[in-house]
Amino acid sequence: MNASVDKDTCIGCGACPSVCPEVFKMEDDGLATAYVNPVPSEIEASAQEAADGCPVDAIHIE
């Protein structure tokens, strides 16, 4: 599983790193990024929860 954040859609709310800090973090531009790929199998559910909770659907899980 791979995770990505669409920077054009992200509003920088910080929800994803609060749900899954092992995969997502906030960058200096105030937007989120997925910094771990592929997502380790033991945290796939947490990464999916972060994607599902994104208020603007900026996170893509493949």
Side-chain angles (χ1 to χ4, degrees), residues 5-60:
V5 177
D6 181 346
K7 295 280 195 168
D8 292 330
T9 305
C10 180
I11 59 172
C13 71
C16 54
S18 67
V19 172
C20 187
E22 301 89 353
V23 175
F24 302 100
K25 67 179 179 178
M26 301 305 289
E27 293 196 309
D28 292 340
D29 61 4
L31 302 176
T33 189
Y35 70 99
V36 174
N37 274 304
V39 175
S41 59
E42 63 271 12
I43 55 173
E44 284 181 354
S46 180
Q48 185 64 57
E49 181 181 347
D52 292 344
C54 179
V56 293
D57 297 323
I59 300 173
H60 304 285

